[in-house]
Amino acid sequence: MQIFKEKEALQTAVSKLKSEGKTLGLVPTMGALHEGHLSLVTNAEKICDQVVVSIFVNPTQFNNPQDLEKYPRGLQKDLDLLETVDPDVWVFAPMASELYGEKVVSEKFEFGNLAEVMEGKFRAGHFDGVGTVVKMLFEIIKPHKAFFGQKDFQQLQIIRKLTEDQKLPVEVIGCPILREPNGLARSSRNELLNPNQRESASFIHETLLKSRDLFGTKSVNYITDWVNAQFKDHPVLKLEYFEIAEADTLKKINKKREGQNYRAFIAAYAGEVRLIDNLALN
Ligand code: PAF
């Protein structure tokens, strides 16, 4: 394993790798690695000669300072985990000043509807922060391919748009959601849940599965009302939003159309911890 804290050293290694005709895959993370991240590394390893994992808790994508403060961190634990799946992996773990210089601020992007709904609506400025750091990582590292989990499906679509709009020569690859045995989507935030919350949070995936069953026969309004009612008196979880949207555009729908792919999205709080999940409906 090689650990890079400075971009120049990493760029030198990348240039050498590319001069040997080898391919580079990037797995961007904010650390607190779990099985979901490790599966991204395994996917990257299968189709790239070298994998680089970036570990950087990006301050500009947190709309809530307490959320940033609470975000779990532990570089050594992350390195130990990475060693188990790819002993040859490169790790890029920069300080904020290495990426941002003196001004830790976001660039403003035009992501249109993709950034106005769901996470964009409830987390002001979040996607500008994500776009800023991902663009920096792509420009510094210049990977051939970059791997992102579908748990953050809206983020994945935004990064696809970012690479297209900015003409960044990176192939963006979305990878399946990994789940805990009870169905809860793997997330770094799960570490912040107490045992009761972690068990109860399986309700999010269960509700998405039932919505998928209902999607064949019931209207979008019916399903939305039904989901809201399910969460209304839940003892542990508080629903922030449930939406059914077109998978490509994330446009909220009222009526289904033939030939269109749809997904259902949920954000809910367990205590102070905000959880998101989504599922393909057809
Ligand atoms: O998905 C994440 O962990 C982050 O949003 C990302 C893509 C690493 C950018 O900070």
Side-chain angles (χ1 to χ4, degrees), residues 28-30 37 56 58 61 71 130 133-134 148 152 155 159:
T29 81
M30 297 205 298
H37 296 115
F56 177 66
N58 174 36
Q61 71 187 77
Y71 201 83
V130 170
V133 79
V134 170
F148 296 86
D152 298 292
Q155 168 175 279
I159 291 167

Side-chain angles (χ1 to χ4, degrees), residues 53-83:
V53 176
S54 63
I55 298 182
F56 177 66
V57 182
N58 174 36
T60 61
Q61 71 187 77
F62 287 82
N63 54 317
N64 174 352
Q66 280 146 16
D67 194 21
L68 171 61
E69 202 179 301
K70 274 189 309 200
Y71 201 83
R73 294 165 172 88
L75 184 61
Q76 192 52 53
K77 192 171 160 215
D78 289 342
L79 299 180
D80 293 344
L81 270 176
L82 286 173
E83 187 80 34

Side-chain angles (χ1 to χ4, degrees), residues 35-46:
E35 301 267 339
H37 296 115
L38 300 184
S39 78
L40 297 180
V41 175
T42 309
N43 280 323
E45 264 183 322
K46 283 188 197 140

